[in-house]
Amino acid sequence: MKDDQTHLSADDWDELHFPRPEGNEFDRVVERAISRRGFLGGALAFGSGAAVMGTAFLKGTSAIAQQATRFAFTPIEAQTDDTIHVPEGYSWDVLVRWGDPLFSDAPAFDATNAVPAAGSDRVFGENTDGMELFSINGREILVVNSEYTNNAINLPHTAKGVPESAEDVLTLQNMQGVSVMEVAEGDDGWSVVVDSPFNRRITHNTPMLIDGPAAGHALLQTEADPTGTQSLGTFNNCGSGRTPWGTYLTCEENFNGYFGATAEVAADEIVMEHYQRYGVSTKVDPGRYNYHGFDARFDVSKTPNEPHRAGYIVEIDPSNPESTPVKRTALGRFKHENAASAVAPDGRVIVYLGDDERGEFMYKWVSRDIYVPGGDTSTLLSEGQLFAAKFNDDMTGEWLPLTPEATGMSAAEIAIFTRTAASNVGATTMDRPEWIAVNPVAIEAYCCLTNNSRRGATNDDGSLRTNAGGDEMSVNAPNPRETNNYGQIVRWRPENDDHAASGFQWDLYVMAGNPTVADGPYAGSENINAGNLFNSPDGMVIDSTGLIWIQTDGDDSNEGEFAGMGNNQMLAGDPVTGEIHRFLTGPNGSEVTGLCWSSDRRTMFVGIQHPGSSWPDGEGIPRSSVITVKRDDGAMVG
Ligand code: FEO
Ligand code: CA
Ligand code: CA
Ligand code: CA
């Protein structure tokens, strides 16, 4: 019987393992899940009333006008040129580019050679990603992640950008991490307040504290830090989050890429197994960053525990440039995309978390203690319960607690090897969870599942593709398409209107697709049409009026199955009607990522990562930048 199964097609194999009831109920589940008449039939009154009221109140326009359409702009067409487009009546401007000074003693940016190593921690970092704005004593403090480096343009003197000296490594380390900077609006628009006392660079070398269940564990101890509680640097800072008490959360995503080996690695079996699960290379080669060629900290043949000290949520206090960032191990270790907070009716803090890798999981964390506004919040993220999401085909779901009893692992091991803990409880493999957004005007949350080309695919021997932990990536209801190159957004409403509850109902808010070239599931859900084509939803933030802003990081070839989609873009979605309209298109080759608003909601800050040619300067090397977007009439934009 077993032998026979390996010869089945993917569809047949799936059928055998997930038998559909008579009448093909499975198809109906998928249909229901992608239909806007799903469980939101019941939610409509609540969502609609709250959202429309919020919009009318905040934008100062009539409720009748807002009921006619939630969108205060005329959608724009897809674009393939090397600039930014926004709707008529809106304008954009560059706020800060990679290499611009945060301090007046910063080195000048060179259009050919980028930033010299000396003083490279005094400028705005490269490849902007998640960001949040904090209003502190009436001043506007923007905190922005720099996810990774385009090594070849940072180090033009090297072959293919692989560092050839400790100085090269330092340059790359300083171009990543987090930039904290005051911004202000003058007659000529917004600019960075150079030398503001709030300005700060956090890099791959900034001292951090390690807190929570993994702190001090043997797996976190190194020769340089035998306590296992103090590390250097935060890595691959992807999406962001903010706590209700005004701190910034930076999310360590592809941290594995900074480690490598200079000799054969002789770590124990558990450690080797988890290098594999997390993608830490033990190959003796320079890799992409070659930090290990010049610094034993990144060499797993010498410092095997250093990778266990990365892959966390890091809390940063933007109000105090002297504060030490804290790695919150209670929130688990995986390829953290972003961190979306909510507060339960009883005051406990919820943080939703995604692990962006094919077939990995979606998580929720619930604090042990309650949030008391004005109270001590310094240890609120230290202790709580992690859960992994299980989606059922009947559009219900449950949060599976990652406890020692359920996982067979200690609390510290759950915090360090979280992926294994979630595999052990049977969480649902997802199509790469990217940003999660909590709706501030309805008790619901959304997660971008960006794509998964291997969903439902088989190996040469006919067996189903798995994640690195061996969990099969069969087609399932929230991830309903084989070879999913377009992505979808799943949404859930917690039981009892309580984000701390263990049960939820879910549906798909949108399945991206292309009805101009495909039929069936690859055409996308009903709310996709020739006017709003996109693929690979990634960044996502819901504004104070309840409008969903969706940013893409996908195939921008504008050809074949991606015809008509153009450059990466930002769209706005109505949570109630499902309507989605294109608001902004990025320059060639770029990804649109990171979004926040000024305190008066009249300016939108949007990130443009890895532009492809010489944007925005028009000559020289491309520079990732944060832009501002405003309405020409000065009205609110979120
Ligand atoms: Fe850094 Fe998953 O995006
Ligand atoms: Ca992303
Ligand atoms: Ca992405
Ligand atoms: Ca990116």
Side-chain angles (χ1 to χ4, degrees), residues 7 101 113 142 160 176 179 181 185 220 248 275 288 326-327 333 379 406 459 478 492 502 508 539 591 618:
H7 297 292
N113 297 306
L142 188 61
K160 296 183 183 167
Q176 301 173 70
S179 300
M181 57 201 172
E185 189 173 26
L220 266 55
Y248 182 75
Y275 284 167
R288 174 184 165 89
V326 184
K327 297 202 161 188
R333 175 170 168 270
T379 59
N459 297 303
W492 61 97
S502 60
L508 293 181
E591 164 187 348

Side-chain angles (χ1 to χ4, degrees), residues 275-297:
Y275 284 167
Q276 200 258 336
R277 181 75 194 258
Y278 285 87
V280 174
S281 171
T282 55
K283 273 197 285 189
V284 182
D285 69 21
R288 174 184 165 89
Y289 286 102
N290 199 21
Y291 287 8
H292 55 285
F294 302 94
D295 186 345
R297 180 156 70 99

Side-chain angles (χ1 to χ4, degrees), residues 129 147 238-239 253 337 356 434-435 538-539 553 591 593:
D129 209 305
E147 186 182 32
C238 184
E253 192 187 17
E337 180 71 22
D356 179 9
E434 300 249 29
W435 287 58
D538 183 335
D553 169 24
E591 164 187 348
T593 182

